[in-house]
Amino acid sequence: VKLGFIGPIMSTVSVATGGKSHEEALGIQMLQGSRLAIEEANARGGYTKRGIPFELVVKNDNGLWGASGNEIVTMAYKDQVWAILGTIDGANSHIAIRVALKAELPMMNSGDTDPTFIETNIPWVARDIGDDRQMGYLLVDYLYRKLDYKRVGIIRASNRYGRFGVREIKDGSRRLGRPVIIEMAYKVGGDDFSLELGRLKQANVEAIVHWGDARESALILNQMREMEMDQPYFASDRSVSPEFVELAGDNAQDVICPYPWNPVREDPKLAIFRKNFRERFGVEPDTYGAHAYDGMNMLIWAVQTVGLNRAKIRDALTYFMARPWPGVTGDIRLSAAMD
């Protein structure tokens, strides 16, 4: 019984990714979480109605415009998968779900936090991870109602992730009567952020919010401290990573990030998952591995429950609107838009 996976697992270079792609570490974790869910399902007997195993069909999301759509077509009609999990990049995810709509193929997203992803209201698509809108609300509440800042500046990646990631932070700041003082965008993959940081310094901001990948986040923070900018530093959930801590060093102390789940809570399911993940892959699971594991298990449950029928698999997922899925990332309850 074939289930599809599409995610950034091999490096490419394209205009769509702003040069060299940069999400492979995230995609590999997502693939590992998916593989673990499939392997555990097969250890329990596979597709129990027929006693045959599940198989994961893996495709690379290479960041080229439209290529993700081509891969969905291949999986839908050539590989004949029953459902798909993926992907991470916002632009590619938007293309993929439109193809899934035409092919009438259920698609679970576990890694794209773009708030506009679910606004398409495509009925074949579900998402099991909180988005940047929800994390933005948390951050705005913390910045203004808890810490009482009045002059906040933003530095972000000049891609879809950065642009849409800060949208609710800007809107929320304005609604609370404390509009963002300045917003600076940088080219993904760069090493020198002195121009952007210089403008932020001139604007005399009290705190700085960064939205982008872990690498740039750490380099920006280090450059800030070198320029004697001592403002508190807030960053997106992608900075909650070993790469950020390694690159930022001592500067990582006191950095605050919103996060879509609590990875250190006391939960027997989470403890077992972390143990199995470490034994299987030799690394600690991150948010992409954990949410992919939950998303793939939701798809497997739907197949086991209703059988090999794409429409019924999609309908089965709506069950989690009323009763949450007990995932390793916490209880997952879907909205009316299956978000």
Side-chain angles (χ1 to χ4, degrees):
V1 175
K2 294 181 180 179
L3 296 174
F5 170 92
I6 181 167
I9 54 176
M10 291 184 289
S11 180
T12 58
V13 177
S14 77
V15 175
T17 56
K20 186 178 182 297
S21 57
H22 50 275
E23 294 175 340
E24 287 72 41
L26 316 181
I28 289 171
Q29 274 265 351
M30 193 163 75
L31 176 58
Q32 290 170 336
S34 301
R35 282 199 190 283
L36 185 60
I38 292 286
E39 290 169 2
E40 290 178 353
N42 285 337
R44 294 190 297 266
Y47 178 51
T48 54
K49 292 182 180 179
R50 296 189 184 178
I52 55 177
F54 288 97
E55 177 185 337
L56 192 64
V57 177
V58 179
K59 302 291 184 182
N60 182 46
D61 180 6
N62 64 13
L64 296 173
W65 191 259
S68 56
N70 294 337
E71 297 291 13
I72 302 299
V73 171
T74 300
M75 283 193 280
Y77 297 108
K78 183 178 179 181
D79 299 315
Q80 295 186 334
V81 301
W82 295 101
I84 293 175
L85 183 138
T87 178
I88 295 174
D89 178 77
N92 290 354
S93 294
H94 270 284
I95 295 170
I97 60 178
R98 282 163 172 78
V99 179
L101 170 65
K102 291 293 185 182
E104 297 185 340
L105 179 64
M107 190 165 184
M108 172 66 70
N109 187 285
S110 65
D112 179 15
T113 55
D114 181 348
T116 67
F117 171 81
I118 214 69
E119 290 175 1
T120 54
N121 206 24
I122 291 174
W124 292 88
V125 176
R127 176 165 62 181
D128 74 333
I129 187 173
D131 64 21
D132 290 332
R133 180 194 345 248
Q134 296 162 318
M135 289 187 279
Y137 290 154
L138 286 172
L139 193 53
V140 164
D141 180 73
Y142 192 75
L143 287 169
Y144 302 120
R145 290 177 173 161
K146 301 286 194 306
L147 302 179
D148 198 31
Y149 289 127
K150 295 177 176 62
R151 299 181 61 83
V152 173
I154 290 175
I155 181 169
R156 64 164 178 84
S158 60
N159 57 12
R160 188 183 184 91
Y161 175 66
R163 186 168 65 256
F164 283 91
V166 301
R167 191 174 67 170
E168 296 302 328
I169 296 173
K170 293 193 296 180
D171 288 349
S173 301
R174 187 176 63 252
R175 286 195 296 271
L176 291 176
R178 302 183 186 186
V180 170
I181 301 299
I182 183 173
E183 176 184 351
M184 298 299 297
Y186 60 84
K187 186 175 181 181
V188 176
D191 297 309
D192 183 10
F193 309 95
S194 55
L195 172 64
E196 294 84 2
L197 291 174
R199 298 283 175 82
L200 286 162
K201 188 175 184 179
Q202 289 174 3
N204 194 29
V205 296
E206 297 174 291
I208 292 176
V209 175
H210 170 260
W211 219 265
D213 291 323
R215 173 188 172 275
E216 283 88 348
S217 184
L219 296 179
I220 288 169
L221 175 59
N222 291 341
Q223 224 166 92
M224 275 179 57
R225 301 307 184 227
E226 291 170 4
M227 295 171 63
E228 299 183 347
M229 296 175 65
D230 59 358
Q231 290 94 337
Y233 191 70
F234 301 83
S236 68
D237 60 301
R238 289 192 182 183
S239 291
V240 185
S241 73
E243 182 183 17
F244 176 82
V245 174
E246 181 181 348
L247 290 173
D250 292 340
N251 290 333
Q253 184 70 28
D254 297 328
V255 171
I256 294 175
C257 307
Y259 209 57
W261 65 297
N262 181 4
V264 295
R265 74 187 189 284
E266 296 294 328
D267 185 336
K269 297 189 302 294
L270 176 59
I272 293 170
F273 163 69
R274 292 176 63 184
K275 175 179 177 293
N276 292 342
F277 197 97
R278 287 193 301 266
E279 289 178 355
R280 175 66 175 84
F281 303 109
V283 295
E284 186 73 23
D286 67 8
T287 183
Y288 295 91
H291 280 96
Y293 178 81
D294 278 346
M296 188 58 71
N297 273 317
M298 291 168 79
L299 292 178
I300 291 169
W301 174 90
V303 172
Q304 299 279 33
T305 302
V306 300
L308 301 180
N309 182 304
R310 290 175 176 174
K312 288 185 177 180
I313 291 169
R314 179 265 168 210
D315 290 345
L317 294 175
T318 64
Y319 175 82
F320 303 118
M321 294 178 189
R323 299 189 180 185
W325 171 262
V328 299
T329 57
D331 287 348
I332 299 170
R333 187 190 301 273
L334 300 181
S335 70
M338 297 179 71
D339 196 21

